[in-house]
Amino acid sequence: MGALWHGFADMGAVEREGAFVVARGEGAYIYDQAGARYLDATAGLWFTNVGHGRAEIADAVAAQLRTVAHYSNFGDFTEPATQELAEKLASIAPVAGSKIFFTSGGSDSVDTAAKLARRYWHELGRPDKTVVVGRQRAYHGMHIAGTALAGIPVNREGYGELMADARTVEWDDAKALLTLIEELGAERIAAFFCEPIIGAGGIFLPPDGYLAEVRRICRDHDILFVVDEVVTGFGRIGGSWFASTRFDLEPDLMTTAKGLTSGYVPMGAVFIAPHIAEPFFSGGVWWRHGYTYGGHAGAAAAALANLEIVEREGLLDEAKRLETTLHTKLAPLADHPRVAEIRSGLGAVAAIQLADPSEGLPLVKTLREHGISGRAAGQGAMQISPSFVMTDDQVDELVEGFSSALG
């Protein structure tokens, strides 16, 4: 009986069958304790954008830890690496002049955005604007606010009501948001949360024009538009740092994590447009919110090294290459009788949708027998989200592994 309790797991099954222990990683591959190699189809959990085994990130973290590992960013405290990273992120933000609030990960970032949206309206003298709205199938982390506003009912089972002022609308119909506004009144709605690509809920790409339309609706009805780029941020959208940049979304708030450090050290960040920050930066207002490890100096060093690699090696363009390669080379799998459809063509992300969703978890085990480390996301979608260093030949290897595993 092991002591480790895994997230999102049937622990009885893990106890019976044992854990899959990842001993090391290099580039687009991971290795188990016996030395067997697996092509990493998911970049860990969407995050290892620059690939595994980047010694320069480890070296940057080690150097920072030898100087000062971390000091609270509460009050007027900070460290040089944290300041430098904030300025770097502001320079690539989709909204010029954005402020950066650091968190420990994506769930923190979403809860931060939910609280800030409500507090912003309070500061503007509109305290009744408290409802936060998400979409069906959407995933926004596992803190209380993110679980409540996300559109995955099974993730809420057994907890009771988590947050009263949370609603969800259809994921692919902008008019559904309008209907909710008419039902509740815009004077009650604080923010609408939107993943540019629905990730853990099944990898669903936005319908043509959807993102622009919901952005317009939010602007017209004085509702904050929160873009959840925990998955799509820092290059996964392909060709740009953010989906908000690629689609000119001008978010009021943008949540990020994962690719910020490529998962080498936990870290997240909320990008806050100038008009949202203004009431808090004008003086005399305390926002009593923060995290012990928000802006961690070692994590900031990892992020700076990670972003430098992305720029130096042109990995935004490599993610755009993968957008095309994945779309082209995965397409023939749609003809397999066990496959319902392939969803791809936007960013370094794709889904192999199984005709029978219950086959997802068993297929993960079968894939390992064919040298692929994969994952089943929501609704029986096999997640494809490789590191940006994955070559076209390795995509061929990926497709061959899936084809063999499907039989």
Side-chain angles (χ1 to χ4, degrees):
M1 299 287 286
L4 177 61
W5 190 336
H6 299 246
F8 284 92
D10 175 349
M11 286 308 301
V14 175
E15 286 289 285
R16 289 191 307 272
E17 301 170 17
F20 176 66
V21 181
V22 178
R24 70 182 182 91
E26 182 178 352
Y29 294 99
I30 58 173
Y31 298 78
D32 66 18
Q33 288 179 306
R37 190 180 77 170
Y38 307 83
L39 186 63
D40 184 4
T42 63
L45 192 62
W46 313 92
F47 53 70
T48 316
N49 292 359
V50 300
H52 299 282
R54 293 284 193 162
E56 66 186 273
I57 299 180
D59 292 343
V61 174
Q64 179 62 52
L65 299 188
R66 291 188 185 99
T67 304
V68 59
H70 181 51
Y71 206 89
S72 165
N73 283 193
F74 290 6
D76 61 355
F77 291 104
T78 190
E79 310 97 350
T82 306
Q83 287 183 307
E84 182 181 352
L85 179 59
E87 296 302 323
K88 174 62 179 177
L89 296 184
S91 75
I92 63 173
V95 177
S98 289
K99 303 298 184 182
I100 309 298
F101 190 96
F102 287 114
T103 71
S104 300
S107 294
D108 282 358
S109 293
V110 169
D111 267 37
T112 294
K115 288 176 69 176
L116 181 55
R118 290 177 165 192
R119 181 63 190 276
Y120 169 77
W121 291 118
H122 181 274
E123 290 304 314
L124 265 60
R126 303 176 70 181
D128 291 335
K129 288 175 73 71
T130 59
V131 176
V132 290
V133 182
R135 299 153 69 202
Q136 293 174 359
R137 296 179 172 171
Y139 178 85
H140 296 296
M142 293 309 300
H143 289 348
I144 284 179
T147 305
L149 69 87
I152 306 177
V154 69
N155 285 353
R156 294 195 292 272
E157 288 180 359
Y159 299 121
E161 186 175 51
L162 294 175
M163 193 169 73
D165 288 342
R167 302 287 191 278
T168 56
V169 297
E170 293 177 30
W171 75 275
D172 58 350
D173 183 3
K175 290 182 174 58
L177 177 58
L178 275 175
T179 299
L180 182 68
I181 293 170
E182 292 168 0
E183 174 189 331
L184 296 181
E187 68 277 4
R188 290 191 56 205
I189 301 176
F192 174 63
F193 283 68
C194 182
E195 290 177 284
I197 296 174
I198 286 177
I203 305 101
F204 291 93
L205 311 186
D208 288 344
Y210 175 84
L211 296 174
E213 181 65 8
V214 290
R215 180 65 183 99
R216 183 193 63 77
I217 290 169
C218 288
R219 184 180 285 117
D220 289 349
H221 292 85
D222 221 9
I223 294 168
L224 300 189
F225 187 56
V226 184
V227 182
D228 185 345
E229 296 225 32
V230 172
V231 166
T232 52
F234 303 105
R236 187 154 298 281
I237 194 62
S240 300
W241 283 110
F242 305 104
S244 293
T245 304
R246 180 166 175 173
F247 295 110
D248 194 25
L249 298 179
E250 297 183 347
D252 297 300
L253 298 167
M254 184 176 74
T255 60
T256 69
K258 296 189 184 293
L260 173 55
T261 66
S262 280
Y264 278 69
V265 181
M267 192 178 216
V270 181
F271 289 60
I272 302 157
H275 64 283
I276 304 299
E278 193 279 330
F280 304 92
F281 276 68
S282 58
V285 176
W286 283 53
W287 186 30
R288 297 184 184 275
H289 176 77
Y291 302 98
T292 299
Y293 301 118
H296 190 282
L304 288 165
N306 173 64
L307 298 177
E308 199 279 329
I309 289 171
V310 172
E311 292 183 317
R312 185 181 72 235
E313 298 185 5
L315 294 185
L316 299 182
D317 290 336
E318 291 301 292
K320 184 68 172 175
R321 168 187 59 81
L322 281 166
E323 174 181 301
T324 300
T325 304
L326 290 171
H327 186 60
T328 300
K329 297 194 174 188
L330 288 170
L333 290 180
D335 295 329
H336 194 284
R338 295 174 65 187
V339 175
E341 68 173 347
I342 303 294
R343 294 189 287 274
S344 61
L346 179 61
V349 59
I352 300 172
Q353 178 64 55
L354 299 178
D356 181 356
S358 69
E359 292 186 345
L361 292 178
L363 186 59
V364 170
K365 300 287 184 70
T366 306
L367 281 167
R368 291 175 191 162
E369 298 171 6
H370 295 274
I372 306 295
S373 176
R375 176 175 181 266
Q379 311 296 319
M382 302 305 296
Q383 175 184 329
I384 308 293
S385 55
S387 301
F388 304 162
V389 298
M390 183 176 282
T391 66
D392 287 358
D393 286 344
Q394 288 170 330
V395 174
D396 286 333
E397 181 182 343
L398 178 86
V399 174
E400 181 180 350
F402 267 93
S403 181
S404 297
L406 286 165

